[in-house]
């Protein structure tokens, strides 16, 4: 059941793509990284901090995967209402991201804004991108491994394009589960299937815990019955009015 639930997530990724947010403090090279992905200059790149104040969104394909890249305003002390709104948008996008590329300028020491962003990102869906490897490093490997020990890391140069193939593969491998063979799975569930299977899995886990805890068998049997009912909704052995309405709402039936 858990494999089928995971198959739904993987199917959604391949059909709808993922949102990848590029985040970092000002002047770490976020827009240069965006341009490198796009293979053209679409974002303005200058040495002036805070050039990007709004969100820039572009669709690309990475390792065959549809990806919406979102370039965000750099984190720094806010100067004015425009920058404040840009930073607010960045915080919102971090919450919506399927994956975050946290860009760190390896040619400069870490500062409080790097560490602030580190606290905001999802540790299970973030890649630390150590940019500007074409410049002398000011961050030691020991410091990097200590501060970012929970994250996968890729060192690149947005200027030269060095190691961008490695970054592309890291993005793909982080998002696409190698444990799910979507193309050989017997069923790729839709949203209704996924919701029902989630309920079945919940009741099965509850039954297992109650059995181990020594609860009366009647309680365990009740949980198993709820799980069976959920599965029956998919197999067709149980058909409720709500299920029928949901199915037929997707069809246009003429008179």
């Amino acid at each position: 059941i858990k494999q089928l639930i995971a198959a739904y997530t993987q199917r959604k990724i391949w059909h709808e793509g993922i949102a990848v947010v590029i985040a970092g403090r000002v002047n770490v090279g976020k827009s240069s990284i965006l341009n490198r992905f796009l293979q053209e200059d679409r974002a303005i790149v200058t040495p002036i901090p805070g050039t990007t104040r709004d969100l820039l969104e572009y669709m690309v394909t990475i390792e065959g995967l549809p990806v919406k890249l979102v370039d965000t305003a750099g984190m720094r002390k806010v100067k004015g209402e425009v920058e404040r709104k840009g930073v607010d948008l960045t915080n919102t996008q971090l919450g919506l991201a399927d994956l975050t590329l946290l860009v760190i300028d390896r040619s400069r020491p870490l500062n409080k804004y790097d560490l602030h962003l580190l606290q905001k990102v999802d540790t299970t869906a973030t890649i630390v991108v150590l940019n500007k490897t074409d410049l002398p490093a000011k961050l030691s490997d020991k410091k990097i491994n200590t501060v970012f020990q929970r994250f996968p890391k890729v060192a690149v140069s947005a200027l030269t394009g060095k190691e961008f193939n490695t970054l592309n593969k890291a993005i793909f491998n982080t998002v696409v589960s190698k444990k799910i063979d979507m193309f050989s799975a017997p069923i790729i569930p839709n949203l209704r299937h996924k919701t029902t299977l989630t309920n079945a899995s919940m009741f099965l886990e509850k039954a297992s815990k109650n059995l181990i805890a020594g609860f009366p068998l009647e309680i365990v049997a009740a949980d198993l019955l709820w799980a069976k009912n959920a599965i029956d909704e998919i197999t067709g052995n149980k058909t409720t009015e709500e299920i029928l309405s949901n199915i037929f709402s997707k069809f246009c039936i003429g008179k």
Side-chain angles (χ1 to χ4, degrees):
I1 290 176
K2 288 183 177 179
Q3 186 177 25
L4 290 172
I5 293 171
Y8 168 80
T9 302
Q10 295 298 301
R11 174 182 179 273
K12 185 173 182 291
I13 286 172
W14 282 102
H15 280 251
E16 300 179 17
I18 60 169
V20 175
V21 171
I22 305 172
R25 62 165 156 147
V26 293
N27 272 34
V28 293
K30 297 185 301 299
S31 295
S32 296
I33 285 175
L34 173 66
N35 288 336
R36 178 60 63 177
F37 276 120
L38 298 175
Q39 298 183 344
E40 58 180 308
D41 293 338
R42 299 288 287 274
I44 299 173
V45 178
T46 76
I48 303 171
T51 302
T52 302
R53 297 186 179 185
D54 205 349
L55 299 178
L56 300 176
E57 299 182 356
Y58 296 98
M59 290 300 301
V60 298
T61 300
I62 295 177
E63 300 288 315
L65 190 68
V67 173
K68 179 178 74 172
L69 290 173
V70 183
D71 186 18
T72 60
M75 282 290 177
R76 69 170 180 176
K77 185 177 180 180
V78 175
K79 298 178 181 179
E81 187 62 24
V82 174
E83 282 194 19
R84 184 181 303 280
K85 288 183 178 180
V87 171
D88 287 344
L89 284 172
T90 297
N91 289 327
T92 299
Q93 288 300 312
L94 287 174
L96 298 174
D98 295 305
L99 178 68
T100 299
L101 301 182
L102 178 57
V103 184
I104 302 296
D105 183 351
R106 193 169 183 176
S107 70
R108 293 188 289 171
L110 294 175
N111 70 11
K112 63 180 181 180
Y113 298 109
D114 295 312
L115 301 177
H116 171 75
L117 280 166
L118 193 62
Q119 299 301 316
K120 284 185 167 292
V121 297
D122 182 352
T123 57
T124 64
T126 298
I127 298 173
V128 172
V129 181
L130 301 161
N131 191 27
K132 303 188 182 182
T133 57
D134 51 285
L135 298 176
K138 293 292 181 66
L139 282 177
S140 67
D141 290 338
K142 182 179 180 181
K143 181 75 170 179
I144 290 169
N145 291 329
T146 299
V147 176
F148 305 111
Q149 60 180 330
R150 297 176 297 169
F151 301 89
K153 297 169 283 291
V154 181
V156 304
S157 169
L159 180 65
T160 66
K162 183 179 180 181
E163 295 300 332
F164 259 75
N165 285 338
T166 303
L167 179 56
N168 286 339
K169 291 176 182 176
I171 292 171
F172 182 87
N173 291 334
T174 301
V175 175
V176 178
S177 173
K178 294 181 179 179
K179 297 179 181 179
I180 304 297
D181 185 353
M182 189 184 71
F183 301 102
S184 64
I187 302 173
I188 301 298
N190 56 33
L191 180 58
R192 181 177 70 84
H193 290 160
K194 186 251 186 183
T195 302
T196 305
L197 287 170
T198 300
N199 290 335
S201 178
M202 178 186 68
F203 283 116
L204 287 173
E205 289 181 1
K206 186 178 177 183
S208 177
K209 290 178 181 178
N210 287 341
L211 184 62
I212 294 172
F215 279 77
L217 293 180
E218 291 85 351
I219 294 178
V220 176
D223 291 328
L224 292 174
L225 180 60
W226 280 109
K228 177 182 179 299
N229 287 342
I231 294 172
D232 284 346
E233 289 183 9
I234 296 176
T235 61
N237 292 329
K238 178 184 178 184
T239 309
T240 65
E241 289 294 328
E242 183 179 355
I243 294 172
L244 288 174
S245 297
N246 185 33
I247 292 173
F248 284 108
S249 68
K250 296 178 173 61
F251 297 91
C252 179
I253 302 176
K255 294 182 179 180

